[in-house]
Amino acid sequence: MADEKSISVEVVYRGIFQKTLAQRICRSIVLASRKKGHTGTAFSRYGDSPERNGVPAKQFAIVAVDEIELEASMAKYEPAVVDISVAVDDTLVKGVESWAWYGRQPIWKPIREGGTLLVTSEKTPGEIVAQSDRTPKPYTLGIVPGGASFAGLWVYKDDHTDYRVLGALAKVAPRWLPLEAAKQAALDLAKGDRSAAASVQYGYDATVLRQVGAGEGTDGHEKLQFTKPGWTTMRPGIVVDARKPGQRNPQYKKYTARTQRPVVNFDTCIKCTMCWLDCPDECFEVTPEGHYEVVYEACIGCGICAQVCPVKDCIVMVDELKFADNRDRWQDWKKDRGAYNTWFEKVSGVPADPKAAAPASAAGGDD
Amino acid sequence: MVVDVKTRETSEVETEQLATGCEAIAEAIRLADVDVMAAYPIRPYDGVMQAAAKLIANGKMDVEYIVADGEHSQFEIVKHACAVGSRVFVGSSGVGWFYAFEAIAVTAGLRLPVVAICGNRALDDPGAFGTEHNDSLAVRDLGWLLPWAETAQEALDLALMAWRVGEDRRVSLPVAIGLDGAFLTHSQHIVKIPTQAAVQRFLPKFDLGDRLLHPDNPITIAPQVDQDWLMEIRRQNDHAMRQALGVIREAHADFKTIFGRGGDSPFLDEFMTEDAEVVVIGQGTLSLPMKVAIRRLRKEGHKVGLVRLKWFRPFPTEEVVRSLGRFKAIGVVDRDYSFGSPFYGGVLYNEIRSALYSQASRPAIVGFIAGLGGREIEQPMATEIFEKTEAAARTGLPAGDVCHWIGVRE
Ligand code: SF4
Ligand code: SF4
């Protein structure tokens, strides 16, 4: 808690892709604070397992002055309130929905009033606040420079994200993680490689802090909240309503698993049905003309549609933070093709007309 | 549930047969108009397989009879058939029952009223075929209803009760009838076979309601859940088990009206207990040697009796406590073991001790483990059981903190 006796940190990450990263950060928090004689524990939220690709998940580190204080802070297995939350992918600030029946939670939800949110990002603090839910409580936002580090279940990309985050933590919680202890722990973890300590120093120096006041943030994200049923209101026999054909799950939408979203060029689409067939989440709806539009509430951003589409740049994967809502886009195209295509070029960075020259900036796409 | 209760069938429309416990169960399958049964041979359950196959071959019964590749598939088949609305029957014995264990656990969790028999036999190794109750008892905590039959007649009657109670929407739980291997599964007795019409009055059509798995009723059964759901699901099963007691009482009353059998209590069968000071309690075919011993001991002036427990799950705590509180001492005979349990007693012994713990009048309780692996409980053993229980009646409560193995060579 926020008192002097212990500190709790959560790491919010993309399931599978950042599992090892989150684990390394949480372990290094405990090991670094141990250098100062503190004790601690690191653990993952059991309910996240088995993890799903990209689905937001959490791990925790709790550090305390002694075992008694540690036990007191650990009495709740999943801390409802944390001092610091670390989001290791900036698209997570649009809110998190775990695979369980949690609805969508604002990124700052468990952070105590006056606590800290660290985000690894190449964006400005302003851009991050603009995509975070409007907050009722003030907190400090810290941007740890760097893109999201993604790897797999069995591989780890050793790009020092963990050390940079440790440096940022030394900056915001020096009482628990003094810079020297953080560096020493990084050196231990990196088996003496001095560059690890340098990355801690870099995270410490380069992290930009900004106060976020109560009332800042967006109201644009969907409120997806539920009341969990009791044993008398739940259907007996472990039965839940199935989706009827054409219906989508209103209780689990999965779009917070997305870091990029597919944007479709309806003018170059040859209506081959490949995207519709191969999308693992059946996100495509057929339009009256036989085009395929993405239902963004259901899309997890896996990119398969962009890979199978036979037409170059017809489906382009675009950074999720460029979008403020989940509205279907085919209506826009239907209304005004020219305006749609201008928008398409702007967000995707590829020309809407394949015969035209490429626009100046290329911001993504899947070749 | 609407049941058309009419007066008892006249004896002309009730037939008699000389049948084993297994054959009596096969008759119940026919009478209940079971849709699907799945089979895989293991002794002594397989007597039902043979008897049912014979009824089908003779054109007397029409049932989907599926021979599985093992007990796990066997129990999965009926679970799924039940979910799509079929009345089902299944069964096994000993380690075969254990091989189906995963399916057995989920069947209760899913609240699917599968009716099974467990032909009770020793768990291999060592390979042995005789009665032990540990196979049935292994599922005691999972939400299966567990009645035990004493005779072939009761096997048939309990099977009809099983579909009626299990399929009742207030319960909707599977039932496993315990049949003592050899003593009951393989010995023939005169059994009254009711008419189909009478059975139809007792047993309404199986209706899962809105839980029926059908294209017109799109549902998902058994999705992955986490801690936010699981406890409520368990609590629902707990509630269903609590409801079962009342549903059994109702069904028993209807059964008596329609068929004229079943005794006073659905849960307990008491023998010579009116003036008894010391009684023995147990399940299944134990009553036979005990009744013989009681008649003999009574002639010698001993005030002894027998209480037979008919339903182990749901445990009829109220009835058990009311009945047993009247006696000075109770001997609990377990045809099972629970190694390392309190006082090294059997399963029934510890359940009965637990039920009586908070009672004002508590008899001394002595545990006996006897007749394992189908070993006969011979008269000298029965005498020893009563003698030790009578001794406890004189010494009082602490005498119960022991459990005796009866008829075991030193
Ligand atoms: S990225 Fe494409 S394939 Fe993947 S879920 Fe979204 S629409 Fe479907
Ligand atoms: S895969 Fe590409 S070309 Fe084919 S229907 Fe989908 S968007 Fe059109």
Side-chain angles (χ1 to χ4, degrees), chain A residues 57-101:
Chain A
K58 293 188 177 189
Q59 295 197 25
F60 304 93
I62 296 175
V63 172
V65 288
D66 56 32
E67 286 293 337
I68 290 168
E69 288 305 325
L70 184 66
E71 282 177 13
S73 347
M74 281 182 59
K76 242 181 112 50
Y77 181 72
E78 182 183 339
V81 179
V82 297
D83 299 292
I84 303 172
S85 181
V86 183
V88 283
D89 168 35
D90 59 11
T91 55
L92 286 163
V93 304
K94 292 183 83 168
V96 290
E97 182 191 18
S98 79
W99 70 265
W101 215 54

Side-chain angles (χ1 to χ4, degrees), chain A residues 45-47 49-50 52 78 99-102 228-244, chain B residues 106 109-111 210-211 217-237 239:
Chain A
R45 183 164 65 182
Y46 191 64
S49 183
R52 273 75 169 161
E78 182 183 339
W99 70 265
W101 215 54
Y102 281 11
K228 294 186 181 85
W231 72 269
T232 55
T233 52
M234 211 180 249
R235 292 185 72 171
I238 326 183
V239 163
V240 293
D241 297 345
R243 306 276 75 81
K244 297 200 176 59
Chain B
V106 293
L110 293 172
R111 305 274 304 276
D210 65 359
R211 290 171 51 216
N217 180 43
I219 52 171
T220 295
I221 300 183
Q224 178 83 18
V225 303
D226 68 0
Q227 67 278 5
D228 282 338
W229 286 81
L230 196 81
M231 206 160 160
E232 283 71 24
I233 292 168
R234 298 281 184 256
R235 179 68 179 86
Q236 286 184 331
N237 274 52
H239 183 68

Side-chain angles (χ1 to χ4, degrees), chain A residues 264 269-275 292 305 308-311 314-315:
Chain A
V264 184
C269 169
I270 56 167
K271 304 177 182 176
C272 73
T273 76
M274 289 303 289
C275 53
Y292 295 90
C305 52
V308 298
C309 178
V311 180
C314 174
I315 299 182

Side-chain angles (χ1 to χ4, degrees), chain A residues 125-141:
Chain A
E127 286 171 292
I128 295 298
V129 173
Q131 283 282 24
S132 309
D133 289 85
R134 189 179 304 287
T135 174
K137 59 195 173 190
Y139 61 89
T140 304
L141 172 66

Side-chain angles (χ1 to χ4, degrees), chain A residues 258 260-262 275 278-284 294 298-306 317:
Chain A
R258 193 162 68 210
Q260 292 187 314
R261 71 165 66 177
C275 53
D278 280 11
C279 169
D281 281 77
E282 298 173 11
C283 296
F284 287 90
V294 183
C299 167
I300 57 165
C302 68
I304 287 173
C305 52
M317 297 304 291

